[in-house]
Amino acid sequence: MARSKIKALTFDVFGTVVDWYSSIVAEGEEFRDTHGIDIDWAQFALKWRAGYGPAMDKVRRGELPWQNIDALHRRILDDLLDAFEIVGLSEAEKDHLNRVWHRLKPWPDAISGLERLRKRYIVATLSNGNVALLTNMAKFAGLPWDCILSAELTQHYKPDPEVYQTAADLLGLSPNEVMMVAAHPGDLRAAQAVGFQTALVPRPLEYGPDNLREVAAHPSDLVAGDFNELADLLDLE
């Protein structure tokens, strides 16, 4: 790996940088206390996330017109409200609940690791989340991005190659000058196909303590246990 060529690190966000599962469960339990909605919020969070891929596939196939992730999350949420028999919420309450994805909390190593990495590299999001969502999340969580890049800018969704190529183009870099960092091997394989260097940072707790996930690295991936270990592997102080 020609690490000396790396000028920017782009990061998957949901699951890699932020802990969506525990964040949504915690807000759901607060919602239960304030609205008297006593459901299994862990299952609610998992089902919400499970609808993410199929919703994006409908856009890819042309079954839905282009919609950003806020809109797709809301479509999934409306179905879940019916499935869990949650009634009586106002439009403002539904919108607030949908925007829980703007208020996700980072993994414990995320901020300190990003601060170390950005001493040498540009650090940027490269997420299917839309620009407003990622910007609000950064403000909420204190994530020190140099740049917000989103699949929304291409009107494609990862793992479509246009997302990665456009990110490199917008940064003014060749693909091999960019390292994609993600907890999801499929994301990394798609980035590699465009020419990115890659780093796998597994997050076994992404789906909660009862759903531990193991992922396998591609031979050309750098593998780190967290962002601070990634900084160590890249010889950062």
Side-chain angles (χ1 to χ4, degrees), residues 26-175:
E27 282 221 22
E29 290 173 349
E30 289 180 18
F31 207 75
R32 174 196 62 203
D33 295 340
T34 56
H35 291 75
I37 298 172
D38 190 11
I39 63 167
D40 185 340
W41 284 101
Q43 284 303 308
F44 192 94
L46 290 170
K47 288 182 180 296
W48 205 349
R49 180 64 172 173
Y52 176 76
M56 290 188 294
D57 286 341
K58 288 182 178 180
V59 174
R60 285 193 188 91
R61 293 193 298 264
E63 295 172 23
L64 290 173
W66 166 259
Q67 298 177 38
N68 69 21
I69 287 297
D70 273 341
L72 294 182
H73 278 156
R74 179 57 192 268
R75 293 178 68 92
I76 304 163
L77 174 61
D78 288 342
D79 288 342
L80 286 175
L81 294 177
D82 290 340
F84 282 81
E85 299 181 345
I86 299 172
V87 297
L89 296 182
S90 68
E91 177 58 31
E93 289 168 326
K94 292 176 184 178
D95 183 65
H96 177 77
L97 186 57
N98 194 52
R99 288 175 179 270
V100 67
W101 295 93
H102 295 223
R103 300 186 296 273
L104 303 181
K105 296 176 182 177
W107 293 109
D109 59 279
I111 293 173
S112 60
L114 289 172
E115 290 284 11
R116 289 179 64 194
L117 291 163
R118 73 189 296 258
K119 290 177 181 178
R120 181 183 299 167
Y121 305 108
I122 296 166
V123 295
T125 64
L126 187 51
S127 170
N128 285 327
N130 45 296
V131 172
L133 182 159
L134 295 168
T135 302
N136 291 338
M137 182 195 294
K139 292 290 283 184
F140 175 83
L143 296 168
W145 302 118
D146 292 312
C147 182
I148 300 288
L149 298 177
S150 165
E152 182 182 29
L153 300 171
T154 68
Q155 296 202 350
H156 284 268
Y157 283 120
K158 293 188 300 179
D160 292 356
E162 291 87 348
V163 178
Y164 308 96
Q165 185 62 60
T166 299
D169 291 345
L170 289 172
L171 291 171
L173 299 174
S174 300

Side-chain angles (χ1 to χ4, degrees), residues 1 9-11 16 178-184 188 192 196-202 217 220-224 227 230 233-234:
M1 180 184 293
L9 305 180
T10 57
F11 289 77
T16 301
V178 184
M179 172 174 277
M180 184 73 203
V181 183
H184 311 120
L188 298 180
Q192 285 173 345
F196 280 35
Q197 300 189 49
T198 55
L200 177 69
V201 181
S220 60
D221 290 336
L222 196 62
V223 182
F227 291 175
L230 178 60
L233 291 172
L234 292 172

